[in-house]
């Protein structure tokens, strides 16, 4: 009798593409099959011991079990400001320009809820991490997708083309776009940009009058001499931009849910305000432990986590090349954005991913789940050890031989 009551916000959300892969994965595991799982960016390494020790120590204090501050305790916000000062030379006011959030995803979604009006337009490159555009849909806003173009060998963004396409999207947007979402190193494509790129985008934002939301979740994970730039390094960036960062990947703290949004005081103020209505902040011992992480007590991501992902990247590229699947070499993030082998291109990313799981026991994320321009690719997370990566390569080799034999029969 209640079927006529519609939940329009939920109805605007598309089918969750990754659910099909997850279901197949669970079925295979129930049958006792060993699935080599590259499908989710869930770090497999241990959280650094000093961080765990500080959590346990702080949790023993009776006074830390009450409500906390919705925008984060001051020492944690100060630690984030100091992190930006050390890494990028950027000065941030811990009170007015920093918010601690329950992971960068929560912060991003609530920021969008706070600043979007129904019918507003956001420009989001495609493919993209799904919440980057779905947050606007949930807020009643609209998204203008713009194809992200990059070099398929080096994964460097074609910056001239990006700026040209962005200008065209801005000129054609009705109503005028109010927001641009950036995410470099990019999820899922691993694409990277130069500091000059941000200067050009900031100049355009000033001219066309739109805000920029930048996500640098993978800022610390970069290879071969590449250093992830921050949009806030650009003079005047805080007039038009905010940036999100998370401890999930750099510090192996994905389940701890600790992130930040920093930058423009007006946008930060809006996020602080909406969070004051919605939550009481993270559990205080988690915030204290996160402060230890940011203050570099014996753990520096560039020294500990980066070599691990670099080695896995190199092993995977070689192992998969030996299987007949050659892929470009990313300079950052914990993923490889693999173009589907030519012999399987006609399958599309979802069918290819399903067959790879069922017939090779290898799980990857179909590119179509990240947008229509991702359908020729799959995202592969570097979350299995080198031995299992090599085993995946052998499994894939047998799978591709089988596909080749099938095609030869037709």
């Amino acid at each position: 009798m209640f079927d006529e009551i519609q939940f329009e916000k939920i109805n605007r959300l598309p089918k969750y593409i990754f659910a099909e892969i997850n279901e197949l994965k669970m079925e295979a595991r129930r049958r006792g099959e060993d699935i080599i799982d590259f499908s989710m960016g869930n770090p497999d390494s241990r959280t650094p011991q000093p961080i765990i020790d500080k959590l346990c120590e702080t949790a023993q204090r009776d006074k830390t079990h009450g409500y906390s501050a919705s925008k984060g305790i001051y020492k944690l916000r100060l630690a984030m400001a100091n992190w930006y000062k050390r890494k990028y030379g950027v000065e941030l006011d811990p009170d007015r320009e920093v918010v601690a959030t329950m992971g960068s995803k929560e912060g991003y979604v609530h920021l969008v809820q706070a600043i979007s009006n129904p019918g507003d337009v956001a420009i989001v490159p495609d493919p993209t991490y799904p919440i980057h555009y779905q947050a606007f849909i949930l807020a009643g806003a609209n998204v203008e997708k713009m194809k992200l173009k990059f070099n398929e060998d080096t994964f460097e963004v074609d910056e001239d083309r990006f700026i040209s396409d962005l200008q065209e999207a801005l000129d054609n947007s009705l109503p005028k776009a109010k927001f641009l979402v950036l995410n470099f190193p990019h999820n899922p494509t691993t694409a990277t940009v130069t500091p000059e790129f941000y200067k050009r985008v900031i100049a355009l934002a000033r001219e066309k009058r739109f805000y920029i939301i930048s996500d640098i979740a993978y800022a610390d994970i970069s290879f071969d001499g590449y250093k992830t730039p921050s949009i806030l390094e650009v003079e005047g960036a805080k007039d038009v931009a905010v940036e999100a960062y998370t401890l999930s990947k750099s510090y192996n703290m994905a389940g701890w849910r600790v992130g930040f949004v920093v930058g423009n005081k007006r946008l930060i103020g809006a996020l602080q305000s909406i969070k004051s209505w919605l939550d009481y902040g993270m559990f205080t011992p988690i915030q204290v432990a996160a402060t230890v992480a940011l203050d570099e007590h014996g753990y520096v991501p560039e020294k500990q986590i980066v070599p691990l992902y670099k080695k896995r990247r190199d092993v995977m590229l070689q192992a998969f090349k030996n299987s007949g699947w050659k892929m470009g070499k990313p300079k950052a993030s914990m993923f490889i954005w693999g173009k589907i082998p030519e012999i399987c291109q006609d399958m599309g990313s979802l069918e290819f991913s399903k067959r790879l799981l069922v017939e090779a026991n290898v799980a990857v994320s179909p590119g179509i789940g990240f947008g229509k321009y991702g359908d020729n690719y799959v995202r592969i997370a570097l979350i299995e050890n080198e031995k299992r990566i090599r085993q995946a390569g052998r499994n894939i080799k047998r799978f591709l031989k089988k596909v080749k034999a099938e095609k030869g029969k037709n």
Side-chain angles (χ1 to χ4, degrees), residues 288-400:
V288 175
T291 302
V292 167
L294 289 169
D295 284 341
E296 296 188 347
H297 285 251
Y299 180 89
V300 181
E302 289 83 356
K303 294 180 181 179
Q304 274 93 355
I305 200 68
V306 170
L308 173 71
Y309 286 127
K310 181 180 186 298
K311 180 64 173 177
R312 289 180 178 181
R313 177 201 67 173
D314 294 344
V315 169
M316 181 173 287
L317 290 175
Q318 187 59 53
F320 283 30
K321 181 180 179 181
N322 292 343
S323 77
W325 187 1
K326 187 176 183 299
M327 300 179 292
K329 189 176 185 179
K331 293 192 296 185
S333 91
M334 59 183 290
F335 302 110
I336 290 179
W337 186 238
K339 193 166 189 178
I340 298 173
E342 187 174 347
I343 197 169
C344 301
Q345 283 282 317
D346 60 325
M347 297 180 190
S349 62
L350 181 57
E351 183 62 23
F352 173 74
S353 298
K354 289 162 69 173
R355 288 196 60 180
L356 199 63
L357 177 57
V358 172
E359 300 174 44
N361 285 355
V362 174
V364 298
S365 293
I368 189 65
F370 301 97
K372 67 177 182 179
Y373 295 116
D375 199 23
N376 288 329
Y377 301 82
V378 294
R379 193 193 70 176
I380 311 167
L382 301 170
I383 55 169
E384 294 272 16
N385 63 44
E386 295 164 31
K387 180 180 178 180
R388 287 175 66 76
I389 290 172
R390 292 189 178 97
Q391 181 60 55
R394 292 190 288 270
N395 292 3
I396 291 168
K397 185 174 184 177
R398 290 193 292 269
F399 169 71
L400 293 178

Side-chain angles (χ1 to χ4, degrees), residues 87-88 154-157 159 184-186 190-195 197-198 216 218-230 302 306 313 330-333:
K87 191 173 182 74
Y88 293 117
T154 64
F155 296 99
E156 296 168 339
V157 170
E159 296 181 5
F184 300 110
H186 190 252
T190 78
T192 57
V193 295
T194 65
F197 170 81
Y198 286 128
I216 57 168
Y218 302 92
D220 296 313
I221 304 173
S222 58
F223 319 114
D224 308 328
Y226 177 76
K227 179 186 175 183
T228 299
S230 164
E302 289 83 356
V306 170
R313 177 201 67 173
K331 293 192 296 185
S333 91

